[in-house]
Amino acid sequence: MKKKTKILALSLALTALITQPIMAAAGNHKIQALKLNPFDNKKNDAMVVANGIKNNASGYTYSITNKTTGVTSNDFYTNSSYIKYWAGEGTYQGALWGKTSGNARIDISSQKPVWAGGNLEFVFLAVCNQLNGSQGIKPRQIYAKAMRGDKGVRVISGYHDNAPSQADAVIAEKFIEYAKTGESVKSSWILANEYYKNDDNVGGYNARNYCVLTHSGNVQYSRFEGFPGGTYTRPGSSSTTILRFSSANPGGATELSSSELAEIEVPNYALKGTKRDINVSSTNVIEGGENSKISAVIDEIGDTPISTSGELLVETGLNWLENNTTGIERSTIEKQNAEITPIVMSEIDEYGNESQEQVVAYAVNYPNKFDGISIEGEGFDVIVDSEGMIAANIKWSDFNKVSNPERSSPVTYKQALQILGFENQMKRSDVNAMDATISFMYDENDDIYYPTWIFRDEDSSYFINCLTGDVN
């Protein structure tokens, strides 16, 4: 019973009769908002989620407000709050800590969490590596065990590899937007990360490493109490099968080799974009800001294996575009090559064994490109499962070249390596080992898109403007 069409139809009909917004009723639920890292120049993702929940349903309170120092091990292991949001650092070995001083260091390999049996129903781990199941101590299996038992945890949301720390606040905001439509916590976390995974304007690349653990059955479609849609019966001691949802190919397309990158003809121009006036007619349309995609939330991501061919997937998305949007032509989208990524599910049994992955949905991404180079944050994306369309995002602009007044020639790949090593005092071997690509990235100060070299290692992303040589 994953479909929520009837619930949404009733909700929309009631909404049409109401002129003033109301707060949905909820119980007396506490939210832990734990941010163990500094968040200079951006919002605190823990508080974005806490405020997003509290402001959209009655009966929610904070047990810890904006706490960045003095976080103890008890704050991690306690199961007294309804929602726990933990943002910090983490490793495959099960260690968690924060860059802000005065916080406890947690080691789940020596003290395993036991979260069932209390008030805790939803956990967010905005932390690198904590839901990894193939390296180190395989912490994913430890967290799966922590969910089981009488009064079990419904959902744990996080990352199985590097987390998108630069984008954590905007992902948190998008998560709340999806949850407000009646989408489940599981699906909202997946959709919010899929939304930003191809947008390095906000540092969203590692969003593709999302992972969700939840119980099998209808409980996987649980919403926060007081939000639209069903919450379903809380899992008890008989619920032992945990489902894991993640992207099957988190690295995306094959990375180009150094020799291939060196041969790229770097654009000696920037781009000026004219955003298309696109309108979407669908259930639960989320309007984007000036530089954001418009989203349509249609249904839940289910757990039924899908065997649809790539050709049919592409056709499903293009047909939806043709029938539900204005301001963009199907022929414009078709000019770009679709990038298809499986979303997979695996079962984790009570002994920690994981079953073979099964594809339950596909993400189909059409990046907007200019002269073969992607434009960050631009494109048309759909998610399709065994029953059809789940969600869609679109932002599309038309671009014109802007001449390069800064340099007589753009920064080459070799020059970019030298600049990056010099600016960050890196060894040549360290720089050469980093993944690299080139994209047009938006500069809000100039309101144009610059060709930019993007370098990534395990912890950070670095951006070198090809026309100015500036490093960010």
Side-chain angles (χ1 to χ4, degrees), residues 426-442:
M426 294 180 179
K427 296 178 182 179
R428 182 174 180 82
S429 58
D430 294 336
V431 176
N432 287 334
M434 300 177 77
D435 292 332
T437 188
I438 187 170
S439 294
F440 285 101
M441 296 189 67
Y442 181 68

Side-chain angles (χ1 to χ4, degrees), residues 17-284:
L17 299 174
I18 300 172
T19 57
Q20 298 294 327
I22 62 172
M23 302 293 282
N28 183 21
H29 297 313
K30 291 184 178 181
I31 307 168
Q32 280 185 302
L34 302 162
K35 180 74 171 179
L36 282 74
N37 287 342
F39 47 98
D40 298 335
N41 302 318
K42 67 172 184 176
K43 295 179 180 178
N44 177 343
D45 55 315
M47 290 310 297
V48 168
V49 169
N51 282 318
I53 296 168
K54 186 174 181 291
N55 293 340
N56 285 282
S58 62
Y60 283 90
T61 59
Y62 300 137
S63 60
I64 296 177
T65 303
N66 205 25
K67 192 167 185 179
T68 58
T69 61
V71 178
T72 68
S73 60
N74 183 64
D75 292 323
F76 180 79
Y77 288 105
T78 181
N79 62 2
S80 61
S81 294
Y82 178 63
I83 296 168
K84 183 192 299 288
Y85 191 103
W86 181 283
E89 304 295 318
T91 70
Y92 299 119
Q93 305 304 325
L96 298 99
W97 71 97
K99 291 182 178 178
T100 303
S101 62
N103 294 313
R105 185 180 178 92
I106 310 300
D107 181 3
I108 67 167
S109 66
S110 59
Q111 183 182 349
K112 296 177 173 57
V114 180
W115 283 332
N119 296 320
L120 187 60
E121 298 191 34
F122 298 96
V123 176
F124 296 85
L125 299 171
V127 180
C128 295
N129 308 312
Q130 285 304 291
L131 297 186
N132 185 275
S134 60
Q135 298 184 48
I137 65 164
K138 300 181 180 180
R140 183 158 69 216
Q141 284 78 357
I142 294 175
Y143 287 112
K145 187 174 182 179
M147 300 174 70
R148 296 188 182 97
D150 188 40
K151 296 182 180 179
V153 171
R154 294 173 182 268
V155 184
I156 298 180
S157 303
Y159 299 94
H160 63 78
D161 206 317
N162 295 324
S165 58
Q166 293 168 294
D168 51 16
V170 293
I171 289 171
E173 289 177 327
K174 189 59 64 176
F175 166 80
I176 292 295
E177 289 181 0
Y178 283 127
K180 286 164 59 177
T181 70
E183 201 74 350
S184 70
V185 170
K186 176 197 85 175
S187 200
S188 295
W189 187 255
I190 293 172
L191 294 181
N193 281 278
E194 283 283 345
Y195 182 96
Y196 280 113
K197 74 176 186 181
N198 290 321
D199 190 356
D200 250 324
N201 287 311
V202 297
Y205 183 82
N206 284 332
R208 65 195 63 221
N209 295 328
Y210 64 81
C211 187
V212 179
L213 303 182
T214 185
H215 291 257
S216 62
N218 282 342
V219 69
Q220 69 182 284
Y221 306 115
S222 297
R223 287 83 168 171
F224 298 132
E225 187 173 335
F227 276 63
T231 56
Y232 302 102
T233 303
R234 188 174 179 185
S237 56
S238 63
S239 182
T240 57
T241 299
I242 302 299
L243 303 180
R244 179 261 292 178
F245 294 84
S246 59
S247 177
N249 183 22
T254 303
E255 298 289 345
L256 295 176
S257 66
S258 296
S259 59
E260 290 171 319
L261 290 165
E263 292 175 0
I264 289 176
E265 184 177 349
V266 183
N268 197 20
Y269 54 83
L271 296 176
K272 180 71 175 179
T274 301
K275 186 178 179 182
R276 291 204 178 203
D277 185 15
I278 297 173
N279 291 299
V280 175
S281 176
S282 183
T283 56
N284 296 311

